[in-house]
Amino acid sequence: MLEFEHDSLAQRVLFGAGRSSSHLAAEVDRLGATSVMVIAGPAETDLAKSVCREIEPRLMYSDVVPHVPIETAEKARAAASTHEVDLLVSIGGGSTTGLAKAVALTTGIPIVAIPTTYAGSEATNVWGLTEASRKTTGVDARVLPTTVIYDVLSLLTLPVELSVASGLNALAHSVDSMWAPRADPINSTLAVEAIGALSRGLREIKHDSASQSGHEQTLYGAYLSAVAFASAGSGLHHKICHVLGGTYNMPHAQTHAVVLQHVLEYNGPYTPAAEQRMANAFGSTGAVEGLRSLRTELDAPTALRDYGLQESDLDEAVALVLDAAPASNPRPVTTESLTILLRNAWAGTTSEQESH
């Protein structure tokens, strides 16, 4: 008997190449905003000026830091208060969206998000803050952007390596949604569609970094992944990555890109129905094989040690993840099994290679 609970998040999505500037102006007008704070990191300064050419922002704010340290959030909140901001516009990747969310969390100021990566944060009501090397996440309706503006032209110059890492980060939202605490048939259907779109899009981008259709498919898949994740909740994969990012200041996208293969190997055999649906989406006989083939074709990041994690950090990381691991994970999570998973992810070896 089919029985489940599903929450859908109310959000306006505007998708169109070359339309970000006109879409933003229309949203500012629709929302009646008179004091706009634009949050965009130094790398997005020129893009932000172009996107905002049809509006007059009250404040252009660029102090963006990965994993949103609490001190960074407090400074941005103070700036918003000083300038009596009534609309936040974030232009950038997950860190930029995350800072806008941190401001919205305590002020309730609405957000218009214009993503420049495939992070997916723009489609969720999940916030994250880092304090004393510990990342805390939560769910709050105030941080869900009122509107998301997707413009593929903002992503065509993204380096292939970053497109791959960011796209695999998006893929992780889909995979985690298949067994997260609030997984349901609607989330799974969105996730499976997203896996197919992301696989196709990333392959096109790898072949031609400026492929508009490749970026459009990847952006579409990233949005679906994030919607599924927002409803399904945070599974084992994201608990691991939040610990690694917040505690060891590891790069967000690359960390997700590495860890994903290991979590899929860990959980896949314990969820045969979900595993088969993912395999079909990858166009493979098995989900693990499908992801492995995709990662090989994309020349994806392979080892956490390449991104700053020290072997001496592993025992502490295992203990921290063990405390955060969802009780509903399809396979029991133990100190021993988690140690093997994280050591393989650190070294860039698979369970299959480890056994040999």
Side-chain angles (χ1 to χ4, degrees):
M1 183 170 62
L2 191 62
E3 184 176 327
F4 61 89
E5 294 183 13
H6 177 82
D7 290 323
S8 294
L9 302 179
Q11 184 179 65
R12 181 173 169 84
V13 177
L14 302 173
F15 201 114
R19 299 290 305 281
S20 57
S21 182
S22 59
H23 278 157
L24 175 58
E27 285 304 287
V28 169
D29 183 61
R30 185 180 72 86
L31 296 167
T34 59
S35 182
V36 178
M37 176 178 178
V38 176
I39 300 175
E44 281 76 40
T45 298
D46 290 342
L47 175 63
K49 290 178 180 177
S50 175
V51 170
C52 296
R53 64 182 178 271
E54 297 183 37
I55 67 170
E56 295 183 7
R58 178 72 59 86
L59 174 64
M60 299 291 285
Y61 194 85
S62 62
D63 188 8
V64 177
V65 181
H67 305 299
V68 196
I70 187 67
E71 299 82 6
T72 303
E74 293 291 0
K75 285 174 60 180
R77 290 164 177 168
S81 176
T82 298
H83 290 83
E84 299 181 332
V85 169
D86 59 5
L87 180 65
L88 302 165
V89 175
S90 64
I91 303 174
S95 298
T96 306
T97 309
L99 182 57
K101 286 182 170 185
V103 176
L105 180 65
T106 57
T107 65
I109 301 171
I111 303 169
V112 172
I114 305 176
T116 60
T117 69
Y118 304 112
S121 176
E122 70 278 355
T124 79
N125 56 354
V126 179
W127 57 266
L129 290 167
T130 301
E131 185 172 11
S133 297
R134 294 292 184 269
K135 188 168 186 176
T136 302
T137 62
V139 174
D140 194 297
R142 290 174 295 182
V143 308
L144 178 72
T146 297
T147 305
V148 182
I149 296 173
Y150 287 116
D151 184 344
V152 70
L153 299 189
S154 301
L155 290 94
L156 295 185
T157 58
L158 203 62
V160 172
E161 295 79 9
L162 187 52
S163 288
V164 166
S166 185
L168 289 173
N169 175 21
L171 192 62
H173 288 132
S174 289
V175 173
D176 232 14
S177 296
M178 301 298 285
W179 49 57
R182 298 188 304 277
D184 66 42
I186 297 174
N187 300 329
S188 299
T189 298
L190 290 171
V192 168
E193 170 69 10
I195 289 171
L198 287 164
S199 299
R200 293 189 299 272
L202 287 171
R203 285 189 167 99
E204 281 192 47
I205 291 171
K206 182 65 176 178
H207 177 70
D208 175 8
S209 65
S211 167
Q212 182 168 326
S213 63
H215 284 284
E216 283 179 341
Q217 280 295 300
T218 306
L219 202 53
Y220 164 67
Y223 171 72
L224 292 182
S225 281
V227 171
F229 173 74
S231 176
S234 185
L236 178 61
H237 171 91
H238 281 80
K239 295 302 185 184
I240 291 172
C241 292
H242 287 160
V243 165
L244 296 177
T247 307
Y248 309 107
N249 197 31
M250 298 187 64
H252 185 84
Q254 291 84 350
T255 300
H256 280 269
V258 171
V259 170
L260 178 57
Q261 180 79 36
H262 300 276
V263 175
L264 183 54
E265 289 175 357
Y266 188 85
N267 278 343
Y270 290 74
T271 58
E275 195 278 340
Q276 187 56 58
R277 292 188 71 187
M278 287 188 282
N280 293 341
F282 280 119
S284 175
T285 55
V288 170
E289 294 77 12
L291 178 58
R292 186 178 296 143
S293 174
L294 177 65
R295 285 174 44 81
T296 299
E297 192 171 336
L298 299 177
D299 192 24
T302 57
L304 294 176
R305 63 182 174 187
D306 295 336
Y307 298 97
L309 188 68
Q310 303 298 313
E311 188 173 12
S312 57
D313 295 328
L314 291 176
D315 287 345
E316 179 189 40
V318 167
L320 292 172
V321 173
L322 201 60
D323 285 342
S328 60
N329 193 65
R331 177 180 174 181
V333 181
T334 66
T335 299
E336 181 182 9
S337 64
L338 196 54
T339 297
I340 293 171
L341 188 159
L342 281 178
R343 180 164 290 279
N344 286 341
W346 173 80
T349 56
T350 65
S351 298
E352 189 177 84
Q353 290 169 321
E354 179 84 4
S355 66
H356 293 139

